[in-house]
């Protein structure tokens, strides 16, 4: 029997199943990284992006197509990490824009949603590159448009579209030579296919393990147990969201859960960045609310009398107390922010280690987002930083090519401040950008100056290979030390210092004036200083500066100017 429509219940299951399958396959996707470095992150970024949306969907009490679509779009948009995550969020955004006004999805709607998803994602990328997740999305979209002309049975339509996506994925190495040389398909395209695979499994009615979504990322979730009405010990089901002032640490979580256990049961406390979702059964909702206000502002408060005794006065009093104290907390928070006078220009920088953090702080950066290559900050992280910097104009330094899209996505969501993203692709470029800032010049002049100055910075990074491969005409074996420049691998060796020297030979020239060595957490200071002296002897016409970067994974980050 043909299946001609997908209702909201089935669509929700399909989306969550797609998210769960991506989470299950994320390490396989990470290993498709072209460079054999220990920071493959496409699978992680895509998973964190879609999980942000999945948790929003799971939190819905009454789901219709519009509310599910909004949860997917807003959750993925704010949770997007890395280029692959941002592109996935844009695909989801376009897809849900098309379906949200429909009660059910048929072949025509599904084909139109695929087309809109692809158009939205292409529009978000300044210079789209073929052989990527975008190509896979376009291929399946075109196939969907073709099939929609002649069929209306989703049981036949979906597997053909999915098979097309897999075929396009297999062809990505023919479109991007670097993929062919490394012997891998595009990792972002593989991630998209895994989402579709999971969704199709749910469409077929197969059981899906949603535990990864229910638990969230690194958060323990206690599901409220069913309880007979006659055996209810605590009468009020109390729910709210805390928007924390200073984050929500594991210690905060343990402390808050312990308090909730002392006044009630059926506790759920799920922390997601600066948002904490809370559920508790208690006889005094005001106590839970008062405690929560110590961590930040409250929203989406809901109190239900489970004994159905309609004690409306108690509920109104609790809600009034919550509103009054929330307002007081808000005013206090605003007063604290206003203690710092609003200034004309502020800086936000992404950083990768304690030493780098200190350098940026000493250069006057207002807010540092720790992340970088091993854990790309999300759009939400960027928005939080922008909110915390009390300035009219804010320069953001992503310091990683995989973070620029998320920074631009955050910029598009901010209306009350002028956000300028300087597309720095490395930390040394970010340092140069800050140093180039001229306080007496206007914002436009500074933007132009910084964009010009970062072009003069060459960056090299030294790390180790995690697998055998052949790339950039170099044979690489697991455990080899690699020197990676702005445009590829510059050296391969058996020792850190030998690979670094060979890399520098390919970076420095007769015009080089400055060489900066930022040593990582695995390099001792005395060894770095000695090595710096050797570099100074090799390049006597250049100033050589050695500083503690404290970065993980990379033994040295080198800047040549």
């Amino acid at each position: 029997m043909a299946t001609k429509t997908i209702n909201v219940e089935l669509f929700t299951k399909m989306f969550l199943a797609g998210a769960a399958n991506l989470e299950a396959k994320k390490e396989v996707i990470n290993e498709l990284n072209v460079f054999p470095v220990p920071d493959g992150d496409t699978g992680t970024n895509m998973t964190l992006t879609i999980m942000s949306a999945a948790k929003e969907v799971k939190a819905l009490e009454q789901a219709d197509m519009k509310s599910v679509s909004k949860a997917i779009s807003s959750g993925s948009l704010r949770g997007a990490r890395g280029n692959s995550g941002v592109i996935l969020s844009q695909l989801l955004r376009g897809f849900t824009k098309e379906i949200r006004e429909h009660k059910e999805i048929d072949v025509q709607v599904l084909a139109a949603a695929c087309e809109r998803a692809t158009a939205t994602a292409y529009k978000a990328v300044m210079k789209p590159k073929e052989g990527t997740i975008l190509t896979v999305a376009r291929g399946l979209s075109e196939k969907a448009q073709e099939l929609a002309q002649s069929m209306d049975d989703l049981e036949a339509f979906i597997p053909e579209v999915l098979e097309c996506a897999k075929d396009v994925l297999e062809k990505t190495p023919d479109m991007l030579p670097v993929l062919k040389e490394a012997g891998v398909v595009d990792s972002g395209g593989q991630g998209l296919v895994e989402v579709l695979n999971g969704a199709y499994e749910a469409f077929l009615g197969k059981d899906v393990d949603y535990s990864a979504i229910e638990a969230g990322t690194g958060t323990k979730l206690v599901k409220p147990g069913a309880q007979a009405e006659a055996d209810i010990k605590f009468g009020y089901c109390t729910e709210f969201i805390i928007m924390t002032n200073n984050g929500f640490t594991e210690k905060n979580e343990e402390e808050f859960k312990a308090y909730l256990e002392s006044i009630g049961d059926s506790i759920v406390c799920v922390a997601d960045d600066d948002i904490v979702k809370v559920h508790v059964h208690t006889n005094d909702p005001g106590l839970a609310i008062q405690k929560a206000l110590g961590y930040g502002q409250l929203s989406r408060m809901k109190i239900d009398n489970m004994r159905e005794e309609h004690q409306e006065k108690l509920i109104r009093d609790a809600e009034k107390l919550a509103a009054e104290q929330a307002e007081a907390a808000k005013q206090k928070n605003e007063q604290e922010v206003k203690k710092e006078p609003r200034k004309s220009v502020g800086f936000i920088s992404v950083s990768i280690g304690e030493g780098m953090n200190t350098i940026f702080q000493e250069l006057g950066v207002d807010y540092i987002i720790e992340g970088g290559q091993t854990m790309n900050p999300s759009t939400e992280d960027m928005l939080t930083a922008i909110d915390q910097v009390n300035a009219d104009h804010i320069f953001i330094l992503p310091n990683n090519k995989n973070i620029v899209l998320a920074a631009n996505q955050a910029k598009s969501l901010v209306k009350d401040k002028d956000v300028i993203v300087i597309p720095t692709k490395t930390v040394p470029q970010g340092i140069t950008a800050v140093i180039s800032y001229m306080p007496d010049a206007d914002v436009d002049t500074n933007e132009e100056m910084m964009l010009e100055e970062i072009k003069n910075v060459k960056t090299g990074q030294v790390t180790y290979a995690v697998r055998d491969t052949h790339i950039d005409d170099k044979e690489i074996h697991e455990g080899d030390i690699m020197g990676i420049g702005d445009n590829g691998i510059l050296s391969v060796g058996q020792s850190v210092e030998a690979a670094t020297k060979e890399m520098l030979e390919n970076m420095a020239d007769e015009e080089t004036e400055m060489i900066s060595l930022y040593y990582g957490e695995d390099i001792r200071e005395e060894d770095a200083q000695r090595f710096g002296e050797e570099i100074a002897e090799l390049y006597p016409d250049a100033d050589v500066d050695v500083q503690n970067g404290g970065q993980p994974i990379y033994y040295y980050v080198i800047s040549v100017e």
Side-chain angles (χ1 to χ4, degrees), residues 449-462:
M449 177 66 70
M450 284 187 269
L451 289 173
E452 194 61 34
E453 287 299 319
I454 64 176
K455 294 177 183 177
N456 300 322
V457 181
K458 300 176 188 175
T459 303
Q461 302 177 94
V462 183

Side-chain angles (χ1 to χ4, degrees), residues 435-501:
I435 292 174
S436 303
Y437 175 71
M438 300 178 294
D440 295 331
D442 60 35
V443 171
D444 292 339
T445 300
N446 269 302
E447 180 181 8
E448 185 178 338
M449 177 66 70
M450 284 187 269
L451 289 173
E452 194 61 34
E453 287 299 319
I454 64 176
K455 294 177 183 177
N456 300 322
V457 181
K458 300 176 188 175
T459 303
Q461 302 177 94
V462 183
T463 187
Y464 59 93
V466 294
R467 57 180 166 82
D468 295 349
T469 191
H470 183 88
I471 190 170
D472 291 338
D473 295 324
K474 292 179 173 60
E475 196 69 35
I476 300 170
H477 299 284
E478 183 178 347
D480 284 351
I481 305 299
M482 302 177 297
I484 306 173
D486 293 319
N487 298 307
I489 297 176
L490 301 179
S491 67
V492 179
Q494 299 302 307
S495 75
V496 171
E497 294 186 0
T500 304
K501 288 178 180 178

Side-chain angles (χ1 to χ4, degrees), residues 178-330:
V178 70
L179 294 176
K180 177 167 280 190
E181 188 178 8
V184 297
V185 296
D186 178 67
S187 54
Q190 183 71 58
L192 178 58
V193 167
E194 296 301 348
V195 173
L196 299 176
N197 277 333
Y200 183 49
E201 294 281 293
F203 175 78
L204 294 175
K206 297 184 179 180
D207 291 334
V208 178
D209 180 6
Y210 298 116
S211 60
I213 298 170
E214 291 173 344
T217 304
T219 307
K220 184 179 180 182
L221 177 68
V222 182
K223 294 182 75 172
Q227 200 172 28
E229 180 185 329
D231 195 33
I232 291 177
K233 181 179 180 182
F234 299 101
Y236 295 94
C237 176
T238 306
E239 299 177 33
F240 49 84
I241 290 177
I242 309 173
M243 297 174 289
T244 66
N245 294 327
N246 300 303
F248 200 71
T249 65
E250 288 186 11
K251 184 177 180 182
N252 292 148
E253 183 175 343
E254 291 174 3
E255 176 191 35
F256 189 50
K257 282 183 177 179
Y259 179 80
L260 293 178
E261 287 171 355
S262 72
I263 63 168
D265 64 9
S266 297
I267 295 161
V268 176
C269 180
V270 180
D272 182 12
D273 294 335
D274 294 329
I275 301 295
V276 185
K277 297 177 183 177
V278 179
H279 171 284
V280 61
H281 292 175
T282 177
N283 285 328
D284 193 336
L287 293 177
I289 290 167
Q290 289 177 42
K291 183 68 174 179
L293 284 167
Y295 298 104
Q297 301 177 45
L298 304 189
S299 71
R300 300 188 192 178
M301 289 176 286
K302 182 172 177 287
I303 302 172
D304 292 324
N305 185 341
M306 295 185 296
R307 297 191 183 99
E308 297 183 346
E309 294 178 354
H310 304 292
Q311 298 176 359
E312 294 178 358
K313 185 177 183 303
L314 290 178
I315 296 175
R316 285 198 302 270
D317 287 348
E319 291 177 331
K320 181 180 178 181
L321 173 64
E324 291 173 349
Q325 295 193 352
E327 182 61 27
K330 180 180 177 182

Side-chain angles (χ1 to χ4, degrees), residues 263-468:
I263 63 168
D265 64 9
S266 297
I267 295 161
V268 176
C269 180
V270 180
D272 182 12
D273 294 335
D274 294 329
I275 301 295
V276 185
K277 297 177 183 177
V278 179
H279 171 284
V280 61
H281 292 175
T282 177
N283 285 328
D284 193 336
L287 293 177
I289 290 167
Q290 289 177 42
K291 183 68 174 179
L293 284 167
Y295 298 104
Q297 301 177 45
L298 304 189
S299 71
R300 300 188 192 178
M301 289 176 286
K302 182 172 177 287
I303 302 172
D304 292 324
N305 185 341
M306 295 185 296
R307 297 191 183 99
E308 297 183 346
E309 294 178 354
H310 304 292
Q311 298 176 359
E312 294 178 358
K313 185 177 183 303
L314 290 178
I315 296 175
R316 285 198 302 270
D317 287 348
E319 291 177 331
K320 181 180 178 181
L321 173 64
E324 291 173 349
Q325 295 193 352
E327 182 61 27
K330 180 180 177 182
Q331 291 177 0
K332 179 181 178 182
N333 185 52
E334 289 175 347
Q335 289 170 357
E336 289 175 352
V337 172
K338 289 175 182 176
K339 287 178 184 176
E340 288 280 337
R342 192 173 182 90
K343 54 185 181 178
S344 176
V345 175
F347 275 89
I348 295 169
S349 177
V350 177
S351 185
I352 57 174
E354 288 300 323
M356 297 293 194
N357 295 353
T358 300
I359 292 169
F360 279 119
Q361 288 167 348
E362 290 175 349
L363 290 172
V365 170
D366 299 276
Y367 194 102
I368 292 171
I369 303 174
E370 293 195 54
Q373 186 63 19
T374 52
M375 177 55 75
N376 295 156
S378 66
T379 299
E380 184 71 42
D381 293 330
M382 296 285 181
L383 291 170
T384 298
I386 292 167
D387 184 58
Q388 292 296 314
V389 177
N390 193 19
D392 296 319
H393 310 279
I394 300 174
F395 287 100
I396 296 183
L397 308 172
N399 300 335
N400 187 301
K401 65 182 180 181
N402 208 30
I403 301 175
V404 175
L405 271 181
N408 281 320
Q409 187 153 279
K411 172 184 176 178
S412 70
L413 298 173
V414 175
K415 306 302 180 186
D416 62 338
K417 296 177 182 177
D418 176 33
V419 178
I420 308 102
V421 177
I422 303 298
T424 49
K425 296 179 180 179
T426 65
V427 169
Q429 282 191 346
I431 291 172
T432 295
V434 181
I435 292 174
S436 303
Y437 175 71
M438 300 178 294
D440 295 331
D442 60 35
V443 171
D444 292 339
T445 300
N446 269 302
E447 180 181 8
E448 185 178 338
M449 177 66 70
M450 284 187 269
L451 289 173
E452 194 61 34
E453 287 299 319
I454 64 176
K455 294 177 183 177
N456 300 322
V457 181
K458 300 176 188 175
T459 303
Q461 302 177 94
V462 183
T463 187
Y464 59 93
V466 294
R467 57 180 166 82
D468 295 349

